[in-house]
Amino acid sequence: MNDDLIITQTNHPYKELLNVASRTSLEVTNLDFNILYFSTLYSIDNTEWQRLNEKDLNIFDQDEIFLNPNLKITQEYKIEIFQKKENTLEDKIKLIANKNLTKIIANIDAKNLEYHEKLPMQMLQTIYKKLLKNNLFIGIRIFDFKKQLLLINKQIQNKKQQEFQLIVCKGVNAIFPQNETLELTYKEKLKNSPLTQNTPIIAINEGEIALRHLKAKQGRRGRDLHLNFIEIKEEEKKKKIHFSCSDKFELREKEFADEYIAKQKGYIIQNGDKFDIANVAEFNTVDLKNVGCINVGIDSKITINIKNLSELDDAVKSGVSIKCEELNIDGSVAQNTILNAKKLALRGTTHTQTKIFAKDAKINTHRGYFEGENVEIDLLENGHIKAKTVKINKSLGGTIEAENIFITTLMSNNTIAFNKSVIFEICEGNNNKFLAQISKNEVDFEEQLNQLTKQIHELNLELEPLKTSMQNSKEGINLLLNEIDNFKQNKQQIPASYLEKVKEYQNHLEFYENLNQKEKDLTLEKREILDKIELAQEELFKAKIINKKGVWTDMNEIKFKFIYPKQELLHSTLLDEHTKVFTLRTTVENNEEVAKIDRLDEYNEKDLE
């Protein structure tokens, strides 16, 4: 055959290669072909065969035509056969079919592939030949395949990407029949939260899909790219679903499903086949086994009321966590519980291992941990409080961190940290510690200052020997640079060792300058922190401890703490000491202004506000 071409018309190009191989001395593996032209013949409902050109093949893009059981298709190809040459595209393009043979995808590896004008056509030929090798039609139900192939070639030309994937052709997937069903979509959010699986309270947001009513629909068989039908089985029809939704849902009708949208925040309640949205939930007890953890969010517009006044049983059992907008508990709370709400009222006792987070709270007896903005506690028994404003009727001991603290009766063993005021009616205990310090609510200035001071110190330890080394080397480097200039002027070769020493010095210099700049930046940052500390510490002079009765027991510690310069002013009360106000004042000692603890016998009524 040598370089001769054989042009022929055939229905089976690869069979034609076998025929040519049998007539010549060539192996079929050494033969290849190009498609010069092809035409498609089709018949519907046993009518006469009609011939279509390639541009008319989009008639089969219509599913109703492609699914016609009496549709028949055949194709004829005009090809040129030649001895196979090296074809890099054959290995770079792979076709992948899905399980039902309703989609063919081409994976294109464009690594080391150089673009040229004939590349798009060569790629099209390669893909079409691979289709024919798998007894698939070409040009049928390809939709925008050619357009996408041209776009890929532009990207190859611009070297923007190395791997591509595109859909070559598509059959028609089967549509399986569907019975009428009601999806409780609001429950889907619990799938990945095992501790809330049992909860009867599932929050819903305004505008969120709560229910989806899938309408019954008939199935439709599909057809693959070999024209084989994909059969389906009709499901057994179930009874019609009956349900109703209150006016708190908006109905959004769609073709295959009706969606019920929540018109307000709350939680879904289901009573038989009726659905509604509520905002208040009532419980006798909340435990892990029967209710589970409740997490509906603090902006959910949901109030949870728990009422269990038994002295032998807890209203909230061990291990439970509750998060809602408003939480009211009549009863006690067990260990290892976490309560989180915007507004909380607890008419009972918290366990020492209870954690509460709330913006505003009222608690009868507190023994655990509380964090929030405002809290009122009737009895504090060694609990921990971190808030802005704290009001306590009687404190038998505990740790309190706040801006303003009001206590009616102060007993023993209280540790109180504040930055504005502590006011109490009477002190009946001892071993209480009062610490006035700048606020740590937003930024811990002391920690920041310590870290910066440490970093600057470590940098200086590294900079000092570097600076000494650079100074000692500078004179020698300058001599070297002068010698290098002489070599250049005399057009002589510069010794490599000279250049290496200069390069080494420049690298050390760059490293030193970077460290030095970092030290300057940290020093500036430290100065900014010190300015903020100075402003905050000025506010400490307004801080007050007010004992309205004015009578103290012994062994109570009054402390005012300054971060910078570091200073602590301390006073220990004596039995029957009479002082109503402890605050700070400034005085001059050795021509310097210093802070002193000031003791006053009377307080200003404005200080009680």
Side-chain angles (χ1 to χ4, degrees):
M1 229 183 109
N2 298 326
D3 293 330
D4 295 336
L5 296 176
I6 296 177
I7 297 175
T8 185
Q9 196 95 2
T10 180
N11 295 101
H12 303 287
Y14 281 94
K15 287 184 179 179
E16 193 62 32
L17 290 185
L18 288 172
N19 293 335
V20 171
S22 66
R23 297 197 306 266
T24 65
S25 59
L26 294 171
E27 294 288 336
V28 71
T29 53
N30 292 328
L31 294 176
D32 200 355
F33 68 94
N34 281 329
I35 303 166
L36 301 177
Y37 172 82
F38 73 94
S39 63
T40 303
L41 292 91
Y42 79 100
S43 170
I44 295 180
D45 298 327
N46 297 316
T47 58
E48 290 186 8
W49 289 87
Q50 298 185 53
R51 187 179 297 274
L52 294 174
N53 292 321
E54 187 176 359
K55 61 183 177 63
D56 299 319
L57 293 180
N58 58 4
I59 186 175
F60 300 118
D61 292 353
Q62 302 173 53
D63 288 353
E64 59 270 25
I65 291 178
F66 192 70
L67 289 172
N68 189 310
N70 295 317
L71 172 67
K72 297 175 184 176
I73 300 175
T74 186
Q75 287 186 328
E76 293 178 353
Y77 313 96
K78 185 178 181 180
I79 63 173
E80 59 177 10
I81 301 173
F82 51 86
Q83 280 188 265
K84 183 179 285 187
K85 301 174 184 177
E86 185 180 359
N87 184 357
T88 55
L89 286 178
E90 192 168 340
D91 295 327
K92 288 186 171 290
I93 298 177
K94 298 186 184 301
L95 299 189
I96 301 172
N98 66 348
K99 183 179 178 181
N100 294 325
L101 198 61
T102 55
K103 184 189 289 186
I104 303 293
I105 293 174
N107 281 342
I108 301 173
D109 177 10
K111 292 176 187 173
N112 304 318
L113 192 62
E114 291 296 328
Y115 176 81
H116 52 87
E117 289 184 358
K118 294 182 180 180
L119 183 62
M121 182 55 70
Q122 289 176 357
M123 292 176 76
L124 180 65
Q125 284 279 345
T126 301
I127 292 171
Y128 273 4
K129 285 190 287 185
K130 285 178 179 285
L131 289 174
L132 292 174
K133 197 168 188 177
N134 288 280
N135 297 317
L136 293 165
F137 297 111
I138 62 174
I140 291 179
R141 290 186 67 86
I142 61 172
F143 301 97
D144 65 342
F145 157 68
K146 288 185 178 180
K147 180 181 177 182
Q148 295 301 319
L149 186 62
L150 290 173
L151 290 175
I152 286 173
N153 272 271
K154 283 186 179 180
Q155 289 181 289
I156 294 173
Q157 185 178 6
N158 297 328
K159 301 185 182 298
K160 288 186 176 180
Q161 198 172 325
Q162 292 187 332
E163 293 184 0
F164 302 91
Q165 190 176 84
L166 79 159
I167 298 173
V168 177
C169 49
K170 294 185 291 185
V172 178
N173 286 314
I175 297 177
F176 294 93
Q178 176 180 284
N179 277 315
E180 180 186 17
T181 55
L182 182 64
E183 291 182 351
L184 307 181
T185 53
Y186 69 93
K187 288 188 175 183
E188 290 178 359
K189 61 187 73 174
L190 300 182
K191 288 180 180 178
N192 298 321
S193 181
L195 291 178
T196 58
Q197 289 293 321
N198 296 328
T199 182
I201 300 182
I202 304 173
I204 192 85
N205 286 317
E206 182 180 351
E208 187 178 338
I209 299 172
L211 307 170
R212 185 179 285 111
H213 180 213
L214 301 176
K215 302 172 184 178
K217 64 179 181 182
Q218 290 184 335
R220 184 199 67 189
R221 65 179 181 172
R223 198 169 202 178
D224 68 21
L225 292 164
H226 279 152
L227 300 187
N228 297 316
F229 280 101
I230 304 168
E231 303 295 340
I232 58 170
K233 291 182 180 179
E234 289 290 339
E235 284 192 6
E236 181 182 347
K237 289 190 177 180
K238 297 180 180 178
K239 293 181 180 178
K240 184 172 177 60
I241 295 174
H242 295 280
F243 70 98
S244 64
C245 293
S246 72
D247 58 3
K248 295 174 184 175
F249 297 89
E250 175 190 343
L251 172 60
R252 188 179 295 165
E253 296 185 30
K254 294 190 175 181
E255 183 180 359
F256 297 113
D258 292 337
E259 295 175 344
Y260 291 82
I261 315 297
K263 293 166 69 175
Q264 65 177 55
K265 286 186 174 184
Y267 72 96
I268 305 292
I269 56 173
Q270 181 179 358
N271 186 8
D273 58 2
K274 296 179 180 178
F275 293 87
D276 201 356
I277 297 176
N279 296 96
V280 180
E282 308 280 349
F283 295 94
N284 292 325
T285 300
V286 175
D287 61 6
L288 286 177
K289 181 179 179 182
N290 298 301
V291 178
C293 295
I294 300 173
N295 182 1
V296 292
I298 58 174
D299 293 314
S300 58
K301 301 293 183 186
I302 294 174
T303 298
I304 295 175
N305 299 323
I306 306 168
K307 191 171 184 178
N308 185 348
L309 299 178
S310 171
E311 295 183 1
L312 303 176
D313 194 17
D314 293 314
V316 180
K317 297 293 184 71
S318 176
V320 168
S321 66
I322 301 174
K323 188 174 185 179
C324 61
E325 185 155 338
E326 185 173 343
L327 179 59
N328 301 305
I329 301 173
D330 288 308
S332 296
V333 178
Q335 63 185 2
N336 300 322
T337 50
I338 300 175
L339 309 178
N340 197 327
K342 266 189 181 178
K343 185 178 179 182
L344 179 140
L346 201 163
R347 292 170 282 273
T349 303
T350 64
H351 191 276
T352 57
Q353 294 181 31
T354 296
K355 291 183 179 180
I356 299 175
F357 303 88
K359 183 180 179 182
D360 300 293
K362 292 183 179 181
I363 302 171
N364 275 17
T365 302
H366 183 54
R367 297 171 180 164
Y369 176 84
F370 174 86
E371 187 174 324
E373 291 191 17
N374 307 297
V375 61
E376 295 181 22
I377 294 173
D378 187 53
L379 181 64
L380 179 64
E381 291 185 355
N382 297 310
H384 190 150
I385 301 168
K386 191 175 181 180
K388 286 187 177 181
T389 303
V390 177
K391 295 181 179 179
I392 300 171
N393 186 35
K394 190 171 187 178
S395 183
L396 298 178
T399 301
I400 307 167
E401 301 173 62
E403 292 181 1
N404 297 295
I405 302 164
F406 303 89
I407 302 172
T408 302
T409 303
L410 181 68
M411 303 304 291
S412 300
N413 302 315
N414 292 280
T415 300
I416 300 171
F418 70 102
N419 66 302
K420 289 186 178 179
S421 66
V422 177
I423 302 170
F424 50 90
E425 297 284 342
I426 186 171
C427 177
E428 294 185 353
N430 52 30
N431 197 33
N432 294 300
K433 300 181 187 299
F434 299 87
L435 174 62
Q437 62 183 1
I438 64 175
S439 174
K440 291 186 177 181
N441 285 343
E442 296 179 2
V443 180
D444 190 337
F445 289 126
E446 186 173 14
E447 178 65 23
Q448 280 193 349
L449 183 61
N450 290 338
Q451 286 183 2
L452 285 170
T453 302
K454 182 183 177 182
Q455 287 176 317
I456 292 169
H457 175 70
E458 290 173 351
L459 277 174
N460 283 327
L461 289 177
E462 193 173 356
L463 279 167
E464 197 57 40
L466 274 174
K467 183 178 180 181
T468 302
S469 174
M470 302 301 294
Q471 288 174 341
N472 293 338
S473 303
K474 188 173 182 180
E475 186 177 347
I477 291 299
N478 286 335
L479 290 173
L480 273 180
L481 290 172
N482 288 333
E483 290 190 35
I484 289 173
D485 285 339
N486 290 331
F487 279 118
K488 287 181 179 178
Q489 289 174 6
N490 296 323
K491 297 182 179 180
Q492 294 176 324
Q493 186 175 354
I494 302 169
S497 60
Y498 284 25
L499 296 174
E500 288 174 6
K501 286 181 180 180
V502 171
K503 182 65 175 176
E504 184 180 359
Y505 178 82
Q506 289 173 338
N507 290 339
H508 280 104
L509 182 61
E510 184 180 357
F511 181 66
Y512 171 79
E513 289 174 346
N514 288 337
L515 284 183
N516 195 44
Q517 185 60 48
K518 187 175 181 182
E519 191 272 341
K520 288 179 180 178
D521 293 342
L522 290 175
T523 301
L524 179 61
E525 188 178 347
K526 181 180 177 180
R527 182 66 262 168
E528 291 172 352
I529 294 294
L530 288 173
D531 290 342
K532 292 177 182 178
I533 289 172
E534 184 179 356
L535 288 173
Q537 288 185 163
E538 286 177 6
E539 294 297 310
L540 274 185
F541 284 88
K542 300 176 185 177
K544 293 179 175 63
I545 301 168
I546 299 176
N547 181 342
K548 292 176 74 174
K549 191 172 182 181
V551 180
W552 289 86
T553 58
D554 61 351
M555 301 297 291
N556 294 295
E557 181 182 279
I558 311 292
K559 185 187 290 185
F560 288 83
K561 179 181 178 181
F562 293 89
I563 295 175
Y564 190 87
K566 206 164 188 178
Q567 184 184 17
E568 290 185 356
L569 303 177
L570 181 66
H571 174 80
S572 294
T573 64
L574 301 173
L575 183 64
D576 295 329
E577 177 182 336
H578 285 262
T579 302
K580 289 190 175 181
V581 180
F582 285 97
T583 187
L584 288 175
R585 63 183 173 86
T586 57
T587 186
V588 177
E589 292 182 0
N590 299 323
N591 296 323
E592 286 189 7
E593 209 173 59
V594 294
K596 296 285 186 181
I597 293 178
D598 199 12
R599 297 165 58 194
L600 305 176
D601 293 332
E602 290 298 334
Y603 56 84
N604 193 320
E605 289 294 329
K606 289 184 179 180
D607 294 331
L608 303 180
E609 295 177 357

